[in-house]
Structure formats: structure tokens, C-alpha cells
Amino acid sequence: MRYLTFALAKGRLASKSLAMFEKIGITCEEMKDKDSRKLIFVNEELGIRFFLAKASDVPTYVEYGAADIGIVGKDTILEEGRKLYEVMDLGMGSCHMCVCGPESARELLKHHERIRVATKYPAIAKDYFYNKKHQTVEIIKLNGSIELAPIVGLSEVIVDIVETGATLKENGLTVLEEICPLSARMVVNQVSMKRENDRITSLIHDLRTLLQEENK
Ligand code: PRP
């Protein structure tokens, strides 16, 4: 049997995904050893392998078929724009992609001013401002702590993930516009979907049943 390979986005999402897989009988004991430096974990009996990758690399592994299946946030899927099938919303890690800033920036957005937008998600920001709002803006790519940008005057607004809103609140910022809802998704390589159709379809079925049970 060929291995079915899963790429999981490192961090909280990976732990939650593993807990979910465990509930449908897909386990990987090896992976629970927190001190291990191993990058790939195998369950020979089930013919599956898991590996952990940086979230933004998960769609790449899946598009090229180095992983058959990926678990990653919708934010990363939108930003990376890879060719793959998004087959399931796992309902975990629900949050929103938003335009945020100080209340004073609301007017600038309304009047389509040529503002600066700092973000970790330049593709999402560009699509939103150029294609949806038809507003010309300057997009500045940052790698983290995006909320700093309007505070120190790097940009007027930011495009970032808002979960509880606590980070914004503590920094005197607010949601100005909502771009889209986000959550963890299961993605599948397009060739694997055909070649491993039975195994993947049955996996999706089991996960759907589990999620339905849990949401009852
Ligand atoms: C994310 C996001 C916000 C924060 C939102 O950052 O970029 O900063 O979480 O969560 P909240 O609405 O619950 O406060 P993350 O902690 O992933 O790190 P980053 O700042 O390096 O992007």
C-alpha cells in the first residue's frame, strides 16, 4: 500500500488536527513525543505518514504531491493561491481577515484615499483593495506583530487576522472592514484525489460524521 501523506501546519492547528484524527482511528504515537527532532512520522499499519511544516509551505507540498493531504488555515490557502482541492471546512480556528486601524482611518477608507496597508498577507490585501474595492493602495509586507504598523506610523491601516479582538483593543485599534471568515481547511492534491479516491473519500466521510456528531 502506498503511504497517504499528511502535511500539517505546525503549532496549535497541528495538535488539534492530530486529536481529531485520533478520534477517527488515525493515530501516530511517534508524533506525541514533544522532544523529538524527527520531521516525519509513520504509521506502518495504516499506511500513513504525517509531517509538520510551516503553515505557508503546506499548500506547496500539497500542490506538488509531496503530501496528498494538507491541514491549513484558509488565510494561507488564499494567500498562497496554489492549485489544490479544498475539500472540507474543519471548523477549527475560526476567525476573520479584516482591515483594521485607528477609528480615524475610517474616513480615509471611505474616500478611497491612497493609503498604506501593512500586512502579512499581501495577496489577500491586493485582491481586496484592487479587485473588490477598486481602491489604489500601497501594500507593505510585514512578517508579524502587524498591529504595530499604524501605531508607529508605518501605515494607515493593516490587513490581519482578528480572533478575539483583544490585540486590537489593547493597542487602540478597531475593525474597520471585514474581508472574509477564516478557519482550518483540509486540502487535497489534485492527482491524489483521483489515485487515492477511495481512501480519501472514506477519510472525508469519517471526519464529516465526527464533526456532525460533535456539533449536535
Ligand atoms: C494573530 C494576528 C493578530 C492576533 C489576533 O497573530 O496576527 O495579531 O493573532 O488575535 P486576537 O484577535 O485574538 O487578539 P499571531 O499571534 O498569530 O502572531 P503575529 O503577530 O506574529 O502574526
Side-chain angles (χ1 to χ4, degrees):
M1 187 164 51
R2 186 183 160 274
Y3 283 118
L4 204 57
T5 305
F6 292 74
L8 308 181
K10 252 192 257 182
R12 248 181 311 167
L13 190 51
S15 326
K16 282 189 181 173
S17 315
L18 287 172
M20 183 183 70
F21 284 125
E22 200 156 11
K23 290 186 191 157
I24 58 162
I26 298 179
T27 51
C28 208
E29 287 305 315
E30 268 193 305
M31 221 163 162
K32 291 181 183 161
D33 175 8
K34 293 265 182 294
D35 298 326
S36 173
R37 305 284 293 174
K38 266 181 89 166
L39 296 172
I40 186 148
F41 303 91
V42 182
N43 180 323
E44 296 288 352
E45 256 169 72
L46 298 175
I48 53 153
R49 304 192 293 185
F50 283 104
F51 67 81
L52 298 175
K54 195 175 157 73
S56 52
D57 292 336
V58 168
T60 313
Y61 283 106
V62 175
E63 180 185 297
Y64 284 90
D68 301 291
I69 293 168
I71 305 289
V72 68
K74 178 70 177 174
D75 51 325
T76 309
I77 298 171
L78 290 171
E79 184 62 25
E80 295 301 313
R82 293 281 175 182
K83 267 192 246 144
L84 31 81
Y85 294 134
E86 186 186 313
V87 296
M88 225 183 134
D89 184 342
L90 300 171
M92 303 185 284
S94 293
C95 51
H96 284 84
M97 187 63 77
C98 299
V99 180
C100 312
E103 195 51 53
S104 60
R106 204 180 285 278
E107 283 296 301
L108 303 174
L109 286 171
K110 212 193 275 172
H111 298 119
H112 281 220
E113 302 268 353
R114 197 193 157 95
I115 50 172
R116 286 186 294 191
V117 180
T119 186
K120 210 156 73 169
Y121 301 92
I124 295 176
K126 199 168 161 196
D127 178 62
Y128 180 69
F129 280 102
Y130 285 72
N131 301 334
K132 300 214 172 71
K133 293 202 62 181
H134 307 291
Q135 179 173 2
T136 308
V137 295
E138 186 181 339
I139 292 167
I140 303 172
K141 162 92 193 256
L142 287 180
N143 297 298
S145 303
I146 316 298
E147 290 84 357
L148 259 180
I151 300 172
V152 297
L154 177 65
S155 70
E156 281 76 27
V157 299
I158 60 174
V159 164
D160 201 16
I161 293 173
V162 179
E163 194 178 345
T164 62
T167 313
L168 290 178
K169 201 168 172 209
E170 281 187 35
N171 292 289
L173 304 173
T174 186
V175 172
L176 299 169
E177 291 173 2
E178 237 172 60
I179 300 179
C180 62
L182 305 167
S183 56
R185 309 290 159 97
M186 179 166 146
V187 293
V188 178
N189 170 270
Q190 296 187 339
V191 175
S192 306
M193 196 67 212
K194 295 192 184 77
R195 198 168 48 186
E196 299 291 341
N197 192 267
D198 288 353
R199 292 170 84 190
I200 295 175
T201 311
S202 130
L203 172 72
I204 295 171
H205 172 265
D206 290 352
L207 285 175
R208 285 228 168 94
T209 310
L210 173 75
L211 295 183
Q212 275 162 9
E213 286 297 315
E214 286 186 343
N215 289 330
K216 261 184 193 166

